Amino acid sequence: MSQLIQRTELKTVYYTPVHCPFCGVRVMGADPVDETRITACSHTLFIAHDTAFEYRSARLDENLQLDGMTEQEVEARWMQDERGIDGFTDTVSVADAIKVAAYAPSPSAYGSYYGFAPIE
Ligand SMILES: [Zn+2]
């Protein structure tokens, strides 16, 4: 029985740092100084924003059947979702997964998305 990822939205204090609900690590996307640097814990399924995934775990790739795909193929997959990466990551069905969606207010309407799941 696969349940879809449970969503939490941040719309007012959207800029608050996001911490893993299972171990407390502060997770971050790419560092603006070193864009290759990602902080993710072992529970992190993904870190994404509206135009790209910054981090995808092996569990995410397995769950969304992205194994073996090129970055271009992965992008083509989420672009098929009318809500883009936000909609695509709502289809994650890893057990007890939690997603935090942080939306900057319009007109920027920029979203950041973090997914976590406990390890069995
Ligand atoms: Zn964690």
Side-chain angles (χ1 to χ4, degrees):
M1 297 297 105
S2 59
Q3 181 194 344
L4 291 179
I5 194 166
Q6 300 170 77
R7 287 174 51 90
T8 296
E9 297 187 357
L10 302 175
K11 291 179 169 174
T12 304
V13 195
Y14 60 90
Y15 45 81
T16 196
V18 173
H19 295 69
C20 171
F22 302 109
C23 74
V25 161
R26 178 175 172 174
V27 295
M28 289 184 283
D31 187 313
V33 177
D34 174 4
E35 292 187 356
T36 64
R37 198 173 76 90
I38 302 282
T39 305
C41 64
S42 58
H43 308 103
T44 308
L45 295 174
F46 58 84
I47 300 173
H49 49 77
D50 287 315
T51 55
F53 278 101
E54 293 193 346
Y55 171 77
R56 301 193 332 257
S57 67
R59 287 199 293 171
L60 181 86
D61 282 3
E62 183 185 2
N63 189 252
L64 295 180
Q65 294 164 7
L66 303 175
D67 278 330
M69 284 192 178
T70 65
E71 291 305 311
Q72 289 79 6
E73 287 168 336
V74 170
E75 187 171 304
R77 277 285 306 280
W78 64 255
M79 281 188 161
Q80 285 169 12
D81 193 296
E82 64 180 18
R83 289 175 48 239
I85 276 191
D86 194 8
F88 185 57
T89 52
D90 279 354
T91 67
V92 169
S93 59
V94 175
D96 299 333
I98 294 171
K99 171 177 169 179
V100 176
Y103 300 105
S106 56
S108 80
Y110 183 84
S112 298
Y113 313 104
Y114 305 86
F116 307 95
I119 295 168
E120 290 177 43

